[in-house]
Amino acid sequence: MEQITANVFVENQIRGCNHGFVTTSDGIVMIDSPHKPSDALKLKAELEKRGELRYIINTEPHGDHWTGNAFFDAPVVAHEGVRERILNTNMEEHVMRVGAFGQEEPKLLEGYTANAPIITFKNGMTLHVGNHTFQMIHMPGHTASQASVSIKEEGVVFTSDNIFCKVQTWLHEANPDLWLLALESLRKLDEEIFVPGHGPMTDKTYLDEQGSFILEWRDYVKGAIDQGMTRDDAVTNLTKMTDRYPMDVGQDGMAPMVMRMCAGNLYDYLTGAWPAPQPPSLPLPPRQ
Ligand SMILES: [Zn+2]
């Protein structure tokens, strides 16, 4: 956990999304939660030394942002699409997937019940806790229910997965055009310190690099479609992006799968077969 301003702490060295917490004059607000249950329990012990956890804010519907909510006793705030997605998650499969992350995880997942958002917003909302102001803004792109969270008094914004800094970008359910608009919305924010969804801390100077990578992916798949490539062929053959960035912590070996998912999603998006009826789900770990 790294302290990045007077009251903002960020974790970006472990498997899962970048998550963090803010210490206010009236308790703690956590932004996203650890993916691994054992990491969630470690963080919980750390927070207990610092004060009462008041709220958890989730920035998106993928499991690496909310799985750990369950290990904390605090109400969760998120975009309404995040709540809907969590409530519709096949928890048996979810638990099996997360249980494969380590030896100690299956036991910690016994009786797992997700702590889904009970306070939701559509376009945005502001939460005041102690002397701190948390501003959530809906910024669809990486997913339809993505949101950024600005902590006004600290000059920090948690951008969520609309920024993958120097690690592979997951576009497996992305709308690339909305994503580019989201990057422009991030550019307009007053906050200068960017906590990306994955990868090291960054700032507005990274927006162009993130945008051009998304554009390149979109054009790459569009070129394949224009040449008459089928979806199956596109998913198999469009591999040139694989080596452009390393995978984030704990995602070793997942690059080929992620590239296939990105190519498939962009193919569907560009051919009008989108949105897919079901959100794409990650493959399950092999049964032991
Ligand atoms: Zn994500």
Side-chain angles (χ1 to χ4, degrees), residues 19-250:
H19 51 275
F21 63 86
V22 183
T23 49
T24 81
S25 57
D26 192 19
I28 297 167
V29 175
M30 195 163 102
I31 297 154
D32 287 330
S33 58
H35 205 179
K36 279 170 71 171
S38 54
D39 288 333
L41 291 176
K42 275 181 225 151
L43 178 57
K44 186 178 187 175
E46 166 74 22
L47 293 190
E48 275 165 3
K49 287 184 235 153
R50 293 174 182 272
E52 186 196 350
L53 179 62
R54 298 288 311 283
Y55 296 96
I56 300 170
I57 302 169
N58 285 149
T59 62
E60 66 149 78
H62 291 145
D64 55 332
H65 295 253
W66 57 260
T67 300
N69 290 358
F71 300 90
F72 298 87
D73 185 19
V76 180
V77 181
H79 186 269
E80 59 185 19
V82 177
R83 172 179 163 86
E84 201 190 313
R85 183 78 162 266
I86 294 175
L87 296 182
N88 287 315
T89 295
N90 179 331
M91 284 303 162
E92 211 184 310
E93 285 187 12
H94 184 69
V95 162
M96 207 191 296
R97 208 174 284 125
V98 176
F101 288 177
Q103 295 256 312
E104 35 182 348
E105 311 309 326
K107 182 131 194 60
L108 302 175
L109 286 157
E110 278 170 20
Y112 180 85
T113 311
N115 180 3
I118 56 166
I119 303 164
T120 60
F121 58 88
K122 225 188 216 343
N123 300 317
M125 83 180 265
T126 306
L127 178 70
H128 300 271
V129 183
N131 296 326
H132 279 85
T133 315
F134 300 81
Q135 186 182 49
M136 282 68 91
I137 305 175
H138 182 212
M139 288 193 193
H142 168 73
T143 72
S145 39
Q146 216 66 30
S148 65
V149 182
S150 294
I151 300 111
K152 294 295 181 189
E153 293 75 9
E154 307 284 328
V156 173
V157 57
F158 283 70
T159 71
S160 191
D161 287 10
N162 280 330
I163 298 186
F164 286 78
C165 186
K166 301 289 183 190
V167 291
Q168 278 289 358
T169 296
W170 290 54
L171 301 102
H172 60 310
E173 65 170 292
N175 176 323
D177 296 301
L178 287 182
W179 195 331
L180 294 169
L181 288 176
L183 296 180
E184 293 318 304
S185 303
L186 288 170
R187 204 187 299 275
K188 286 188 202 123
L189 295 178
D190 298 330
E191 292 70 38
E192 298 286 344
I193 303 170
F194 279 27
V195 183
H198 295 266
M201 300 289 302
T202 188
D203 56 33
K204 288 181 185 176
T205 60
Y206 192 71
L207 289 168
D208 288 339
E209 182 171 337
Q210 182 68 69
S212 54
F213 190 67
I214 292 162
L215 263 180
E216 191 181 338
W217 246 121
R218 191 185 67 179
D219 292 348
Y220 184 38
V221 178
K222 173 131 188 1
I225 293 166
D226 290 347
Q227 286 168 26
M229 207 184 266
T230 65
R231 188 186 194 279
D232 281 351
D233 285 345
V235 165
T236 310
N237 296 326
L238 300 186
T239 57
K240 82 163 184 189
M241 306 301 245
T242 315
D243 300 325
R244 290 284 297 279
Y245 292 101
M247 296 299 292
D248 191 18
V249 185

Side-chain angles (χ1 to χ4, degrees), residues 237-269:
N237 296 326
L238 300 186
T239 57
K240 82 163 184 189
M241 306 301 245
T242 315
D243 300 325
R244 290 284 297 279
Y245 292 101
M247 296 299 292
D248 191 18
V249 185
Q251 298 180 358
D252 292 340
M254 290 170 79
M257 177 200 76
V258 175
M259 297 305 113
R260 286 194 296 271
M261 291 171 85
C262 295
N265 174 61
L266 292 173
Y267 193 98
D268 290 341
Y269 174 76

